[in-house]
């Protein structure tokens, strides 16, 4: 089968389209004929050997996908022909991928496989951040950094589904338009976001959702209301910030780490629990990602490079077998 393989850790331009052996499902696993694969920030990092999870070279890239079950292994809860999405961690940039039942969720008939491929990692991370870590409630307010990106846009949609008021932070007017189309309550520019937010919410917001890091971090603590929580999800800006803990003390605010991947590894069955909890939102189309662009499998280098450009508005997909 055709697959996108990483043979050298020299960046996205050097990934290769290769012929590799088609995998076979084992106990409690499924073989999925991939319709679409989602492109995520970890893939960009993996092409450079910078991600915390390391794979032996060469390896087939790709963390998530959606498609049709081609074969169910012994004891699997799925059957051939089922429409599914999966988060196998690697191997999804291929015509077929094997995923365990614990990494696989059913896709409702009303949801396209393209949208489904863009959901798993971002939507479940947003759910973990807002519903599980923050225990957010309707009527509260959240500021979302990187609101036009894959993870940020998922957070905007999840927050709106829960009933939160959302301030989306963006860097360009084009990104602002994308976030408005998602339904954000307010949109502000990254330059000067603190003052803009204070004008809208003088007493501060309940939560800040931050996958960006860098020099925004300190001002993020300043826009929090008393007892507010800053949710740390990553550092796409490249710089890992530090916090002066006196800021936390003075306003009774907290900084919470959000490591969804670690949580799933520690709790078998957790992905299925999450998917069940947000099933109504998924079925209603409230979490359908905005699609920035769809590329053929052979153009994976370009697709991954889009994430490096910082110009992404929504989700980047690879079309493998299509729908």
């Amino acid at each position: 089968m055709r697959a996108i393989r990483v043979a050298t850790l020299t960046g996205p331009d050097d990934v290769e389209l290769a012929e590799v052996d088609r995998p076979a499902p084992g106990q409690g696993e499924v073989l999925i004929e991939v319709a679409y694969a989602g492109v995520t920030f970890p893939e960009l990092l993996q092409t450079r050997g910078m991600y915390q999870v390391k794979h032996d070279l060469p390896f087939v890239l790709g963390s998530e996908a959606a498609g049709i079950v081609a074969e169910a292994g012994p004891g699997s809860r799925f059957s051939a022909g089922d429409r599914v999405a999966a988060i196998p961690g690697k191997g999804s940039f291929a015509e077929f991928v094997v995923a365990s039942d614990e990494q696989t969720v059913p896709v409702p008939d009303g949801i396209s496989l393209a949208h489904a491929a863009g959901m798993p990692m971002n939507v479940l991370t947003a759910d973990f951040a807002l519903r599980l870590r923050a225990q957010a409630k309707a009527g509260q307010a959240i500021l979302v950094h990187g609101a036009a990106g894959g993870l940020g846009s998922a957070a905007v949609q999840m927050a709106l589904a829960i009933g939160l008021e959302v301030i989306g932070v963006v860097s360009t007017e084009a990104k602002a338009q994308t976030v408005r189309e998602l339904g954000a309550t307010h949109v502000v520019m990254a330059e000067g976001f603190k003052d803009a937010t204070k004008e809208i919410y003088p007493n501060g917001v309940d939560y800040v959702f931050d996958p960006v890091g860098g020099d925004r971090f300190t001002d993020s603590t300043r826009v929090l209301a008393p007892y507010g929580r800053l949710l740390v999800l990553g550092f796409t800006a490249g710089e890992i910030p530090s916090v002066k803990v006196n800021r936390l003390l003075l306003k009774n605010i907290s900084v919470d780490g959000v490591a969804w991947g670690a949580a799933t590894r520690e709790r078998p069955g957790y992905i299925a629990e999450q998917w069940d909890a947000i099933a109504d939102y998924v079925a209603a189309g409230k979490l359908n990602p905005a699609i920035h662009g769809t590329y053929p499998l052979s153009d994976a280098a370009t697709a991954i490079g889009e994430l490096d450009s910082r110009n992404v508005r929504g989700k980047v997909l690879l079309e493998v077998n299509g729908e």
Side-chain angles (χ1 to χ4, degrees):
M1 67 174 187
R2 296 182 308 144
I4 296 298
R5 191 166 63 178
V6 175
T8 62
L9 301 177
T10 49
D13 289 345
D14 294 326
V15 299
E16 58 183 27
L17 180 64
E19 285 289 334
V20 302
D21 292 337
R22 173 173 155 171
Q27 181 75 31
E29 294 181 334
V30 289
L31 177 69
I32 301 168
E33 182 179 14
V34 177
Y36 297 88
V39 181
T40 70
F41 199 71
E43 273 94 65
L44 175 62
L45 297 179
Q46 286 174 350
T47 67
R48 295 171 174 152
M50 297 171 61
Y51 194 55
Q52 59 262 38
V53 178
K54 311 292 185 184
H55 303 302
D56 293 335
L57 295 174
F59 65 92
V60 176
L61 198 59
S63 303
E64 64 182 358
I68 305 297
V69 174
E71 182 182 349
S76 173
R77 64 190 177 99
F78 295 97
S79 302
D82 286 350
R83 304 171 80 248
V84 296
I87 314 104
K90 70 172 182 176
S92 69
F93 290 5
E95 292 179 307
F96 293 88
V97 65
V98 164
S100 71
D101 277 17
E102 291 180 357
Q103 299 166 324
T104 306
V105 295
V107 174
D109 289 340
I111 301 300
S112 74
L113 292 177
H115 280 133
M119 287 186 197
M121 291 186 68
N122 288 340
V123 165
L124 293 179
T125 297
D127 172 66
F128 178 66
L130 300 184
R131 187 173 57 86
L132 281 304
R133 293 292 282 125
Q135 299 183 23
K137 301 291 190 297
Q140 294 181 310
I142 185 169
L143 181 144
V144 178
H145 285 294
L151 181 53
S153 59
V156 170
Q157 289 188 308
M158 182 63 70
L160 291 171
I162 292 172
L164 276 68
E165 297 182 4
V166 178
I167 300 180
V169 181
V170 297
S171 57
T172 68
E173 181 53 40
K175 291 181 178 180
Q177 184 58 34
T178 296
V179 177
R180 291 187 189 103
E181 290 171 358
L182 292 172
T185 319
H186 307 280
V187 181
V188 301
M189 292 294 161
E191 184 70 29
F193 80 87
K194 175 179 70 72
D195 292 341
T197 301
K198 283 291 192 178
E199 287 184 10
I200 302 168
Y201 294 98
N203 296 324
V205 296
D206 299 288
Y207 309 104
V208 171
F209 182 99
D210 186 11
V212 177
D215 59 6
R216 302 184 190 186
F217 191 81
T218 298
D219 278 349
S220 291
T221 65
R222 290 171 172 152
V223 301
L224 282 172
Y227 307 102
R229 299 168 73 172
L230 199 166
L231 306 168
V232 177
L233 293 99
F235 315 102
T236 59
E239 177 189 346
I240 299 177
S242 58
V243 60
K244 293 183 177 180
V245 295
N246 64 307
R247 295 187 186 281
L248 312 184
L249 179 65
L250 291 172
K251 292 176 65 178
N252 287 301
I253 59 176
S254 62
V255 177
D256 297 349
V258 180
W260 170 76
T264 64
R265 289 190 290 273
E266 294 168 357
R267 297 171 60 177
Y270 185 52
I271 289 173
E273 291 176 20
Q274 281 190 276
W275 196 253
D276 287 345
I278 64 173
D280 288 346
Y281 299 154
V282 173
K286 293 183 177 181
L287 304 178
N288 280 353
I291 305 299
H292 172 82
T294 302
Y295 297 81
L297 184 64
S298 58
D299 208 6
T302 301
I304 302 166
E306 287 278 20
L307 275 66
D308 212 12
S309 73
R310 302 294 194 273
N311 291 322
V312 169
R313 291 178 287 142
K315 188 71 182 183
V316 176
L317 300 177
L318 290 177
E319 183 174 355
V320 184
N321 292 301
E323 187 167 8

